[in-house]
Amino acid sequence: MESQIPRKPRILCLHGFRTSAEILKRQVLRWPAAVLDKLDLIFLDAPYPAQGKSGVERFFDPPYYEWFQATEDFTEYTNFEECLAFIEDNMMKSGPFDGFLGFSQGALLSAALPGMQRDGLALTRVPRIKFLIIISGAKFGGPKFAHHKLTSNAYSSPLECPSLHIIGETDFMKQESISLLEYFVDPFVINHPKGHTIPELDEKSTEVMLGFIERIQKTMATADEQIYLNAET
C-alpha cells in the first residue's frame, strides 16, 4: 500500500460571475505543470446565460454565464436552489468528484457547499466533499452577501473540510476572503499582489499548493480506505 501512487484529486471547477468554464480553464492552466499534473480538473459552465454586461468583455470572448442571480444589495437570490440541483446533476453524470475549485461567485458558492451538504440541504446524492480551493472567496451571511435560506446554518460550526484560500492584495473581495478563513479549520493560504483574478503561482505559492495537494491526498486515501472497509463488511 505504501508504494502506490496517490490518485489525482478529481475537482469540479466553478467559474466567476458572467464568465465561463473556458475562461477559468485558460487562467488555471497557467499554473505550473508541477501542480497541474497532480490534479484532474473538470470545468463546468453555469446554467444561466449572463443577464447583463460581463466585467471580462475586454479580455475574453463570450459566451458568459452566471450561477444564480441576486438583487443589487445581495439580500435576495433567484435560481439558487436550481443552481444546486444543476451542480449535483452534473456531479452524478461526470463524477465522482473529490472537491471543488471556485472563483468569485463560484467561490462564494463552493465555500458554502460543505456546510449545506453536512446539513442534508445540498448534494445529498453524491459523496462528501473532501476539500475546497477558494479563489477570491466570500461567505453568505457576511458583510456583503446575505444568507439564502439554505445557507443560514452553513457556517454554524467550524468546517473541517481541508481548504486552500487564494487572496489578492488589491482584490475588492480581500476582506471578505480573509473573514472566510475563520470558518475553516487550519486553512492553507496563498497571498498574491494582484486583484480579482486567478493569479499565476510563483515558487512560494507553488510550494503551498503542493503541500495542500499532499494533505488532500491523505484525506482522500483515508476516505477511500473507509469505503473499501465498509464494502467488505
Side-chain angles (χ1 to χ4, degrees):
M1 295 293 288
E2 291 289 332
S3 61
Q4 285 188 355
I5 299 172
R7 68 179 179 88
K8 291 183 179 181
R10 188 167 175 81
I11 303 174
L12 188 59
C13 303
L14 308 185
H15 60 77
F17 183 62
R18 294 180 183 168
T19 66
S20 69
E22 180 61 28
I23 292 170
L24 180 60
K25 182 178 181 180
R26 286 172 59 182
Q27 294 178 297
V28 169
L29 292 187
R30 297 180 302 179
W31 289 353
V35 169
L36 296 175
D37 288 349
K38 293 181 180 292
L39 305 175
D40 183 9
L41 301 168
I42 308 298
F43 297 84
L44 179 65
D45 279 322
Y48 301 105
Q51 298 187 6
K53 185 177 176 63
S54 170
V56 301
E57 287 179 3
R58 290 182 298 155
F59 310 104
F60 298 102
D61 293 331
Y64 312 117
Y65 302 93
E66 51 198 54
W67 294 101
F68 54 88
Q69 295 80 41
T71 54
E72 192 171 340
D73 60 358
F74 301 105
T75 57
E76 295 181 25
Y77 303 98
T78 306
N79 291 319
F80 188 79
E81 293 176 35
E82 291 80 358
C83 167
L84 296 178
F86 173 82
I87 290 172
E88 186 169 33
D89 287 345
N90 277 275
M91 291 178 76
M92 293 185 70
K93 288 177 197 170
S94 304
F97 289 95
D98 297 299
F100 284 90
L101 179 154
F103 170 66
S104 194
Q105 190 185 37
L108 173 70
L109 188 57
S110 297
L113 287 173
M116 288 191 286
Q117 187 183 48
R118 175 200 63 211
D119 296 337
L121 300 175
L123 308 186
T124 57
R125 298 177 293 161
V126 296
R128 179 181 60 84
I129 300 166
K130 300 180 183 73
F131 64 87
L132 300 173
I133 298 174
I134 301 296
I135 309 169
S136 294
K139 71 178 286 282
F140 288 104
K144 187 173 179 63
F145 301 97
H147 272 302
H148 181 276
K149 63 182 180 181
L150 294 183
T151 70
S152 58
N153 290 314
Y155 300 100
S156 59
S157 60
L159 295 166
E160 297 186 6
C161 177
S163 61
L164 169 69
H165 303 253
I166 300 179
I167 303 172
E169 181 61 34
T170 60
D171 189 352
F172 67 88
M173 295 279 280
K174 178 183 174 183
Q175 290 307 315
E176 293 282 337
S177 297
I178 292 172
S179 297
L180 183 62
L181 296 175
E182 67 182 271
Y183 297 93
F184 288 85
V185 176
D186 298 327
F188 281 57
V189 180
I190 290 175
N191 294 293
H192 66 91
K194 296 187 177 180
H196 197 69
T197 188
I198 293 93
E200 297 183 38
L201 301 179
D202 60 18
E203 187 175 346
K204 182 180 178 182
S205 299
T206 298
E207 192 175 311
V208 175
M209 179 70 81
L210 291 174
F212 181 70
I213 293 171
E214 184 178 347
R215 177 182 174 184
I216 62 179
Q217 284 176 327
K218 290 177 182 176
T219 301
M220 287 163 44
T222 301
D224 290 347
E225 183 179 353
Q226 189 60 51
I227 290 171
Y228 176 79
L229 292 174
N230 289 342
E232 289 288 293
T233 56

